[in-house]
Short mmCIF file of all heavy atoms in Angstrom, two decimals:
data_model
loop_
_atom_site.label_atom_id
_atom_site.label_comp_id
_atom_site.label_asym_id
_atom_site.label_seq_id
_atom_site.Cartn_x
_atom_site.Cartn_y
_atom_site.Cartn_z
N LEU A 52 233.21 30.21 139.01
CA LEU A 52 232.27 29.09 139.06
C LEU A 52 230.82 29.51 138.94
O LEU A 52 229.97 28.70 138.56
CB LEU A 52 232.49 28.30 140.35
CG LEU A 52 233.84 27.56 140.46
CD1 LEU A 52 233.95 26.87 141.80
CD2 LEU A 52 234.00 26.55 139.32
N TRP A 53 230.50 30.75 139.27
CA TRP A 53 229.10 31.18 139.21
C TRP A 53 229.02 32.59 138.64
O TRP A 53 229.71 33.50 139.12
CB TRP A 53 228.46 31.15 140.60
CG TRP A 53 226.98 31.41 140.57
CD1 TRP A 53 226.34 32.61 140.69
CD2 TRP A 53 225.95 30.44 140.39
NE1 TRP A 53 224.98 32.44 140.59
CE2 TRP A 53 224.70 31.11 140.41
CE3 TRP A 53 225.95 29.06 140.21
CZ2 TRP A 53 223.49 30.46 140.26
CZ3 TRP A 53 224.75 28.40 140.07
CH2 TRP A 53 223.53 29.09 140.11
N ARG A 57 231.73 33.21 130.92
CA ARG A 57 231.53 31.89 130.29
C ARG A 57 231.16 30.87 131.36
O ARG A 57 231.61 30.99 132.51
CB ARG A 57 232.82 31.43 129.60
CG ARG A 57 233.37 32.41 128.58
CD ARG A 57 232.49 32.49 127.34
NE ARG A 57 233.04 33.42 126.37
CZ ARG A 57 232.48 33.70 125.20
NH1 ARG A 57 231.34 33.13 124.86
NH2 ARG A 57 233.03 34.57 124.38
N PRO A 58 230.37 29.87 131.03
CA PRO A 58 230.09 28.79 132.00
C PRO A 58 231.39 28.13 132.44
O PRO A 58 232.41 28.23 131.77
CB PRO A 58 229.20 27.83 131.21
CG PRO A 58 228.61 28.66 130.11
CD PRO A 58 229.64 29.68 129.76
N PHE A 59 231.36 27.41 133.56
CA PHE A 59 232.60 27.07 134.25
C PHE A 59 233.37 25.87 133.70
O PHE A 59 234.55 25.69 134.02
CB PHE A 59 232.32 26.83 135.74
CG PHE A 59 231.53 25.59 136.04
CD1 PHE A 59 232.11 24.33 136.03
CD2 PHE A 59 230.17 25.66 136.34
CE1 PHE A 59 231.39 23.19 136.32
CE2 PHE A 59 229.44 24.53 136.63
CZ PHE A 59 230.05 23.28 136.62
N THR A 60 232.77 24.99 132.88
CA THR A 60 233.43 23.73 132.54
C THR A 60 234.79 23.93 131.90
O THR A 60 235.80 23.39 132.36
CB THR A 60 232.53 22.89 131.61
OG1 THR A 60 231.37 22.49 132.32
CG2 THR A 60 233.27 21.64 131.14
N VAL A 61 234.84 24.68 130.80
CA VAL A 61 236.11 24.86 130.10
C VAL A 61 237.10 25.65 130.93
O VAL A 61 238.28 25.25 131.05
CB VAL A 61 235.88 25.50 128.71
CG1 VAL A 61 237.21 25.77 128.01
CG2 VAL A 61 235.00 24.59 127.85
N PRO A 62 236.73 26.79 131.57
CA PRO A 62 237.68 27.46 132.45
C PRO A 62 238.22 26.57 133.56
O PRO A 62 239.39 26.66 133.93
CB PRO A 62 236.87 28.63 133.01
CG PRO A 62 235.86 28.93 131.96
CD PRO A 62 235.49 27.59 131.40
N THR A 162 226.49 15.18 131.85
CA THR A 162 225.50 16.22 131.57
C THR A 162 225.86 17.52 132.28
O THR A 162 225.72 18.62 131.71
CB THR A 162 224.10 15.77 132.00
OG1 THR A 162 223.73 14.60 131.26
CG2 THR A 162 223.07 16.86 131.76
N THR A 163 226.33 17.43 133.52
CA THR A 163 226.73 18.64 134.25
C THR A 163 227.86 19.37 133.51
O THR A 163 227.80 20.58 133.29
CB THR A 163 227.19 18.27 135.67
OG1 THR A 163 226.12 17.63 136.36
CG2 THR A 163 227.61 19.51 136.44
N LEU A 164 228.89 18.63 133.12
CA LEU A 164 230.02 19.24 132.41
C LEU A 164 229.57 19.79 131.06
O LEU A 164 229.97 20.89 130.65
CB LEU A 164 231.14 18.22 132.23
CG LEU A 164 231.82 17.76 133.52
CD1 LEU A 164 232.81 16.64 133.22
CD2 LEU A 164 232.53 18.92 134.21
N TRP A 165 228.73 19.03 130.35
CA TRP A 165 228.26 19.47 129.03
C TRP A 165 227.37 20.70 129.15
O TRP A 165 227.48 21.63 128.35
CB TRP A 165 227.50 18.32 128.37
CG TRP A 165 227.10 18.58 126.95
CD1 TRP A 165 227.86 18.39 125.83
CD2 TRP A 165 225.83 19.06 126.49
NE1 TRP A 165 227.14 18.72 124.71
CE2 TRP A 165 225.89 19.14 125.08
CE3 TRP A 165 224.64 19.43 127.13
CZ2 TRP A 165 224.81 19.57 124.31
CZ3 TRP A 165 223.57 19.86 126.36
CH2 TRP A 165 223.66 19.93 124.96
N THR A 166 226.51 20.72 130.14
CA THR A 166 225.60 21.85 130.32
C THR A 166 226.35 23.16 130.53
O THR A 166 225.97 24.20 129.99
CB THR A 166 224.66 21.59 131.51
OG1 THR A 166 223.90 20.41 131.26
CG2 THR A 166 223.71 22.76 131.74
N PHE A 167 227.42 23.09 131.30
CA PHE A 167 228.18 24.30 131.62
C PHE A 167 229.39 24.48 130.71
O PHE A 167 230.35 25.17 131.08
CB PHE A 167 228.60 24.27 133.09
CG PHE A 167 227.45 24.39 134.04
CD1 PHE A 167 226.87 23.26 134.60
CD2 PHE A 167 226.92 25.63 134.34
CE1 PHE A 167 225.80 23.36 135.47
CE2 PHE A 167 225.84 25.75 135.21
CZ PHE A 167 225.28 24.61 135.78
N ALA A 168 229.33 23.87 129.52
CA ALA A 168 230.40 24.09 128.54
C ALA A 168 230.07 25.25 127.61
O ALA A 168 230.97 25.95 127.15
CB ALA A 168 230.63 22.81 127.72
N ARG A 169 228.78 25.45 127.31
CA ARG A 169 228.35 26.55 126.45
C ARG A 169 227.01 27.08 126.92
O ARG A 169 226.21 26.33 127.51
CB ARG A 169 228.23 26.09 124.99
CG ARG A 169 229.54 26.12 124.23
CD ARG A 169 229.34 25.87 122.76
NE ARG A 169 230.60 25.98 122.04
CZ ARG A 169 230.76 25.62 120.77
NH1 ARG A 169 229.73 25.13 120.10
NH2 ARG A 169 231.93 25.75 120.19
N HIS A 172 223.79 25.20 125.87
CA HIS A 172 223.57 23.87 126.43
C HIS A 172 222.65 23.90 127.65
O HIS A 172 221.97 22.93 127.94
CB HIS A 172 224.90 23.23 126.81
CG HIS A 172 225.77 22.92 125.63
ND1 HIS A 172 226.95 22.22 125.73
CD2 HIS A 172 225.61 23.21 124.31
CE1 HIS A 172 227.50 22.11 124.53
NE2 HIS A 172 226.70 22.70 123.66
N VAL A 173 222.67 25.03 128.36
CA VAL A 173 221.81 25.15 129.54
C VAL A 173 220.35 24.94 129.16
O VAL A 173 219.61 24.20 129.83
CB VAL A 173 222.00 26.53 130.19
CG1 VAL A 173 220.93 26.78 131.24
CG2 VAL A 173 223.38 26.64 130.81
N ILE A 206 220.17 19.94 137.64
CA ILE A 206 221.19 20.53 136.76
C ILE A 206 220.58 21.64 135.92
O ILE A 206 221.18 22.71 135.74
CB ILE A 206 221.79 19.43 135.85
CG1 ILE A 206 222.56 18.41 136.69
CG2 ILE A 206 222.72 20.06 134.81
CD1 ILE A 206 222.96 17.17 135.91
N LEU A 209 219.88 24.80 138.10
CA LEU A 209 221.14 25.48 138.42
C LEU A 209 221.72 26.16 137.18
O LEU A 209 222.24 27.28 137.26
CB LEU A 209 222.15 24.48 138.98
CG LEU A 209 221.85 23.92 140.38
CD1 LEU A 209 222.86 22.86 140.76
CD2 LEU A 209 221.84 25.05 141.40
N GLY A 210 221.60 25.50 136.03
CA GLY A 210 222.13 26.08 134.80
C GLY A 210 221.42 27.36 134.41
O GLY A 210 222.06 28.36 134.07
N VAL A 211 220.10 27.34 134.46
CA VAL A 211 219.33 28.54 134.10
C VAL A 211 219.63 29.68 135.09
O VAL A 211 219.82 30.83 134.70
CB VAL A 211 217.83 28.23 134.06
CG1 VAL A 211 217.01 29.51 133.89
CG2 VAL A 211 217.53 27.25 132.93
N GLU A 213 222.36 30.10 136.84
CA GLU A 213 223.74 30.58 136.63
C GLU A 213 223.82 31.50 135.42
O GLU A 213 224.50 32.53 135.46
CB GLU A 213 224.67 29.38 136.45
CG GLU A 213 226.15 29.71 136.53
CD GLU A 213 226.72 30.18 135.21
OE1 GLU A 213 226.12 29.85 134.16
OE2 GLU A 213 227.76 30.88 135.22
N ARG A 214 223.11 31.17 134.35
CA ARG A 214 223.15 32.01 133.15
C ARG A 214 222.43 33.33 133.37
O ARG A 214 222.84 34.36 132.85
CB ARG A 214 222.54 31.26 131.97
CG ARG A 214 223.45 30.24 131.34
CD ARG A 214 224.71 30.89 130.72
NE ARG A 214 225.80 31.05 131.69
CZ ARG A 214 226.81 31.87 131.54
NH1 ARG A 214 226.89 32.65 130.47
NH2 ARG A 214 227.76 31.96 132.44
#
Side-chain angles (χ1 to χ4, degrees):
L52 293 177
W53 188 268
R57 305 290 180 181
F59 69 78
T60 294
V61 176
T162 298
T163 300
L164 294 174
W165 187 85
T166 300
F167 292 96
R169 276 189 176 169
H172 293 186
V173 169
I206 295 169
L209 290 175
V211 172
E213 193 276 336
R214 282 297 87 199

